[in-house]
Amino acid sequence: MRIVWSPDYELGILLIDQQHRRIVDYINDLDRLAGQPDAQMGVARVLYDLVDYTESHFSFEEALMERAGYEGLDDHHHLHRKFTFHIESLMRRHEEGVDVAEPLLQVLEKWLLHHILEEDRDYTEQVRDFIDSIGRERLGGWVNDNLRKHFRVS
Ligand SMILES: [Fe+2]
C-alpha cells in the first residue's frame, strides 16, 4: 500500500477526515493498478475519479470554511487553486498519451499529506467550533445540500 492512513492525519472533523481518507484510497487504488499490464482502462478511470474527487473535496472544504466564517479562506483557496492547476496540467499530458500515473501519485502523496498535516490545521479549530455550535440537525441539512452540490463521484 502506498499510503497507510494514520491517526496523525485526522483533523477531528469527521466529514473532512472521511474525504481525506477517500482520496488516500484512490491514491492506493491508482498505485496498485499503475504497475499492472493491461490496466490502462482501469488506470484512466481511477485517474479521472481521483482528480474529480479531489477537486470536489476542495470546493466542499472551502464551502465549509466559508460557512464557518474562516478568515483565511482566500489564502486557502489559493493553495487549492495552485494544486488543482498542477494536477490539471498532468491530466492534459495524460490526454496526450503520456503515462502520468507515477508523477501524479508523487505529487498527490507529497502535497496532500503536507496539506493535511500543515495547512488544513489552520482552519480546524474554527470549523470544529462552528460544527459544535450549529447543532446536528441544521448541520445535517447543510451537509446533504453541499455534498450534492460539490460531488459527482463518491
Ligand atoms: Fe485544504
Side-chain angles (χ1 to χ4, degrees):
M1 207 176 305
R2 180 121 185 173
I3 302 176
V4 178
W5 183 261
S6 153
D8 292 346
Y9 302 144
E10 271 159 30
L11 304 180
I13 302 167
L14 186 64
L15 263 171
I16 297 296
D17 289 334
Q18 284 172 338
Q19 292 175 13
H20 287 155
R21 279 191 92 135
R22 188 75 192 94
I23 296 172
V24 166
D25 287 344
Y26 273 125
I27 290 173
N28 286 329
D29 286 349
L30 181 60
D31 183 57
R32 189 171 40 79
L33 280 172
Q36 288 178 17
D38 303 324
Q40 275 125 319
M41 291 288 282
V43 169
R45 209 196 60 235
V46 179
L47 270 181
Y48 282 109
D49 286 352
L50 168 59
V51 170
D52 189 75
Y53 189 91
T54 303
E55 293 182 8
S56 299
H57 161 67
F58 288 165
S59 56
F60 179 89
E61 195 181 64
E62 287 171 24
L64 183 60
M65 285 185 241
E66 186 177 20
R67 185 70 185 79
Y70 174 61
E71 59 289 331
L73 174 61
D74 280 354
D75 289 343
H76 204 111
H77 171 72
H78 192 66
L79 293 170
H80 285 170
R81 277 305 309 153
K82 260 173 85 176
F83 184 68
T84 301
F85 188 77
H86 195 158
I87 54 179
E88 284 181 351
S89 71
L90 279 171
M91 289 307 282
R92 274 194 296 279
R93 293 184 60 207
H94 163 75
E95 273 153 20
E96 289 160 11
V98 178
D99 181 0
V100 298
E102 187 51 37
L104 185 78
L105 282 166
Q106 280 178 18
V107 162
L108 267 164
E109 184 178 16
K110 200 164 149 243
W111 188 88
L112 183 79
L113 296 183
H114 166 79
H115 189 65
I116 292 175
L117 286 166
E118 301 286 333
E119 289 138 2
D120 282 348
R121 304 276 153 184
D122 290 342
Y123 72 70
T124 301
E125 195 181 326
Q126 196 167 343
V127 168
R128 262 200 313 230
D129 287 348
F130 159 73
I131 289 172
D132 289 344
S133 70
I134 188 175
R136 244 190 143 79
E137 212 162 287
R138 276 174 68 203
L139 181 69
W142 184 91
V143 167
N144 286 337
D145 290 348
N146 279 273
L147 287 177
R148 259 199 303 273
K149 187 170 156 195
H150 296 284
F151 283 89
R152 269 177 297 163
V153 294
S154 59

